[in-house]
C-alpha cells in the first residue's frame, strides 16, 4: 500500500508501538509527523525515512493551539497516546479521554480524512479498573467528535521493546521467584507489534474501516502462567512461579504505587485489570477483516529479542537444558 506524499501525524509516535508504525509508514512513502513531548528523543526515528520525511514535533495535548499546529495540513491522524498508570497531572482522564477528544475535534475541524485511535482490549465503562473505564470513555469521546474514526483495541502487545516479556525476563535475572498475580490464570492473546503496525496501516488505507471498532488478538491464547513458562524457556531459566492471591496482589500494588520516582512494578488498578481475561470477543471484527491473515506467534518471535537474557548468549550450552525443561509444550 502507498501513502506517497500523504501527511500522516502520529500522536505518541515515539513510543513502543509508534516506532514500529513510523518505519512502516515511512516505507509506504508518507511524510510522517511524530508528535511527542520530547522531540529530541524521537530523532532516532529520522533514519527510518529519507531526508525530511520523518519530522519529530513537540506538542502539548492539553492545549488546542498546540494540537492544531501538529494536525494542520494532515491527511491522516493516528493517536497512540496512552499510559498504564497515572503520574502527577497526567490522570487517565487527561491522557485517555480529554487528549483523544481534543485531537478528534481538531482533526475534524481541519478536514482530516482518516482518524485511527488505538484503544485497548478490555475497554469497558463498567470495569472495576480506572484504566479500562478511561479507555472506553476515550473511544466514546473520539466517536462523538469524529464519528468516522476507526478504533483499534489490541490485546497485550509484544515485541523488542515491550514492557511485558522484557520486564519479567529482567526480573528473572535477579529473582529466583516470579509472581503469578491472582494465580496466573488470566488469559491473554498477545499481538506482535509488527502485526499491529500492519493493522494500523490497513485501518488508514481501507475506506470500509471508517466508524468501526476492531478487536485485535494474536494467533493463540495463553494464561499468564503459560506466558511466564514460555518466557523462561526462551531465556533458559528455571524459576519458581509463585501464585499470589488477589488480596495479596492488591496489597503489593498499593506498596509499589507508594515508591516515589520509579515506574511502579504493579498498581492496584493493574490488579483489577488482570482479574478479567484479555481476549477477543467472538464475532467481533479483527485482523481478518483488515485483510491480515498471517499472525506472528510468541513461540516464533520471542527468541528474536529475548536471547539477550540468556547467560552466554543464544548459542550458549550453559543453560540449554534448563531451557528445554521449561519450554512451553506447544512450541515443539
Ligand atoms: N503496549 C501494549 O501492550 C498495549 C496494549 C493495548 C493497548 N495499548 C495502547 O496502545 C497505545 C500505544 O502504546 P505503547 O505501548 O506504544 O505505549 P508507550 O510506549 O508508553 O507510548 C505511549 C506514548 O504516549 C505518549 N504519552 C503518554 N502520556 C502522555 C501525556 N501525558 N501527554 C502526551 N503524550 C503522552 C508518550 O509520548 P511522549 O513521547 O510524549 O512521552 C508515548 O510515546 C496506548 O494508547 C496504549 O494504551 C498498548
Amino acid at each position: 500500500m502507498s501513502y506517497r506524499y500523504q501527511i500522516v501525524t502520529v500522536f505518541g509516535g515515539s513510543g513502543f508501538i509508534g516506532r514500529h508504525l513510523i518505519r512502516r509508514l515511512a516505507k509506504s512513502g508518507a511524510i510522517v509527523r511524530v508528535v511527542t513531548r520530547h522531540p529530541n528523543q524521537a530523532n532516532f526515528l529520522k533514519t527510518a525515512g529519507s531526508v525530511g520525511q520523518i519530522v519529530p514535533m513537540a506538542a502539548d495535548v492539553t492545549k488546542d493551539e498546540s494540537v492544531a499546529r501538529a494536525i494542520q495540513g494532515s491527511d491522516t491522524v493516528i493517536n497512540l497516546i496512552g499510559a498504564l498508570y497515572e503520574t502527577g497531572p497526567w490522570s487517565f482522564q487527561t491522557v485517555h479521554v480529554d487528549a483523544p477528544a481534543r485531537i478528534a475535534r481538531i482533526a475534524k475541524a481541519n478536514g482530516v480524512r482518516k482518524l485511527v485511535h488505538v484503544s485497548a482490549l478490555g475497554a469497558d465503562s463498567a470495569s472495576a479498573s480506572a484504566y479500562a473505564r478511561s479507555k472506553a470513555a476515550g473511544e466514546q469521546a473520539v466517536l462523538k467528535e469524529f464519528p468516522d474514526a476507526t478504533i483499534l483495541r489490541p490485546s497485550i502487545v509484544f515485541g523488542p521493546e515491550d514492557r511485558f516479556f522484557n520486564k519479567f525476563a529482567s526480573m528473572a535475572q535477579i529473582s529466583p521467584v516470579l509472581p503469578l498475580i491472582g494465580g496466573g490464570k488470566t488469559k491473554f492473546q498477545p499481538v506482535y507489534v509488527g502485526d499491529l503496525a500492519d493493522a494500523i496501516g490497513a485501518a488508514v488505507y481501507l475506506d470500509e474501516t471508517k466508524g468501526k471498532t476492531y478487536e485485535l488478538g494474536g494467533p493463540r491464547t495463553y494464561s499468564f502462567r503459560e506466558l511466564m513458562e514460555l518466557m523462561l524457556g526462551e531465556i533458559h531459566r528455571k524459576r519458581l512461579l509463585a501464585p499470589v492471591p488477589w488480596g495479596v496482589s492488591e496489597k503489593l500494588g498499593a506498596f509499589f504505587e507508594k515508591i516515589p520516582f520509579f515506574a511502579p512494578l504493579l498498581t492496584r488498578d493493574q490488579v483489577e485489570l488482570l482479574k478479567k481475561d484479555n481476549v477477543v470477543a467472538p464475532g467481533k471484527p479483527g485482523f481478518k477483516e483488515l485483510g491480515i491473515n498471517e499472525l506472528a506467534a510468541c513461540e516464533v518471535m520471542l527468541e528474536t529479542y529475548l536471547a539477550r537474557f540468556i547467560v552466554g548468549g543464544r548459542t550458549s550450552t550453559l543453560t540449554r537444558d534448563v531451557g528445554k525443561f521449561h519450554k512451553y509444550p506447544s512450541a515443539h
Side-chain angles (χ1 to χ4, degrees):
M1 65 189 70
S2 168
Y3 304 102
R4 208 164 184 78
Y5 307 129
Q6 278 204 35
I7 299 181
V8 181
T9 299
V10 186
F11 285 85
S14 61
F16 162 48
I17 296 167
R19 61 191 65 195
H20 290 265
L21 174 66
I22 302 296
R23 292 191 188 102
R24 274 168 170 68
L25 291 170
K27 269 196 201 139
S28 74
I31 294 159
V32 191
R33 291 182 190 156
V34 184
V35 186
T36 161
R37 291 168 293 181
H38 316 286
N40 55 324
Q41 286 171 24
N43 279 339
F44 73 97
L45 285 166
K46 285 184 175 178
T47 53
S50 36
V51 177
Q53 191 186 359
I54 294 167
V55 188
M57 190 182 257
D60 179 348
V61 291
T62 64
K63 299 213 162 50
D64 279 13
E65 43 311 346
S66 183
V67 171
R69 247 194 321 273
I71 288 181
Q72 207 172 39
S74 305
D75 299 286
T76 297
V77 170
I78 300 168
N79 178 31
L80 291 172
I81 290 176
L84 260 179
Y85 50 88
E86 300 180 304
T87 38
W90 303 113
S91 63
F92 285 143
Q93 173 71 27
T94 307
V95 178
H96 291 159
V97 188
D98 299 344
R102 180 169 290 106
I103 291 168
R105 174 168 49 81
I106 294 171
K108 196 49 150 179
N110 277 266
V112 166
R113 191 182 63 80
K114 197 76 181 254
L115 172 65
V116 179
H117 174 69
V118 178
S119 178
L121 201 60
D124 177 2
S125 53
S127 172
S129 149
Y131 171 90
R133 284 197 308 274
S134 69
K135 281 290 192 184
E139 293 180 0
Q140 284 158 19
V142 165
L143 290 173
K144 186 166 165 249
E145 301 290 352
F146 201 122
D148 271 355
T150 305
I151 310 246
L152 302 180
R153 294 175 164 184
S155 181
I156 189 166
V157 185
F158 71 101
E161 308 85 3
D162 71 45
R163 278 183 290 275
F164 183 79
F165 288 116
N166 281 302
K167 178 161 105 176
F168 287 106
S170 301
M171 216 184 265
Q173 303 299 291
I174 47 171
S175 170
V177 183
L178 293 182
L180 294 176
I181 305 300
K185 294 191 185 86
T186 313
K187 291 204 164 44
F188 296 91
Q189 217 174 329
V191 178
Y192 182 59
V193 67
D195 292 332
L196 178 57
D198 286 344
I200 300 172
V204 171
Y205 189 71
L206 300 172
D207 248 10
E208 62 264 31
T209 63
K210 282 186 174 174
K212 291 197 181 138
T213 297
Y214 295 81
E215 295 207 342
L216 304 174
R220 292 183 190 179
T221 299
Y222 311 81
S223 67
F224 188 87
R225 173 186 280 276
E226 286 169 336
L227 289 173
M228 289 301 103
E229 286 171 350
L230 186 55
M231 176 278 293
L232 288 169
E234 291 300 344
I235 67 171
H236 300 185
R237 297 282 176 135
K238 195 174 172 183
R239 293 289 180 264
L240 181 69
L241 294 174
V244 182
W246 291 118
V248 180
S249 302
E250 281 156 17
K251 288 199 174 73
L252 272 180
F255 169 74
F256 285 123
E257 277 172 35
K258 288 203 177 73
I259 301 176
F261 308 120
F262 291 99
L265 274 177
L266 185 72
T267 65
R268 278 167 296 175
D269 197 64
Q270 286 165 4
V271 174
E272 287 305 328
L273 205 56
L274 282 166
K275 286 182 184 170
K276 277 195 91 176
D277 289 342
N278 199 251
V279 294
V280 167
K284 289 267 183 191
F287 277 110
K288 201 163 123 249
E289 287 70 19
L290 290 168
I292 300 165
N293 295 305
E294 298 282 318
L295 297 173
C298 291
E299 286 83 353
V300 179
M301 301 313 298
L302 286 184
E303 64 176 314
T304 65
Y305 66 94
L306 287 185
R308 69 194 173 95
F309 292 102
I310 302 171
V311 179
R314 194 193 298 269
T315 53
S316 166
T317 49
L318 210 60
T319 51
R320 190 170 286 165
D321 288 341
V322 176
K324 272 186 190 154
F325 173 79
H326 254 297
K327 204 139 182 161
Y328 180 56
S330 67
H332 296 293

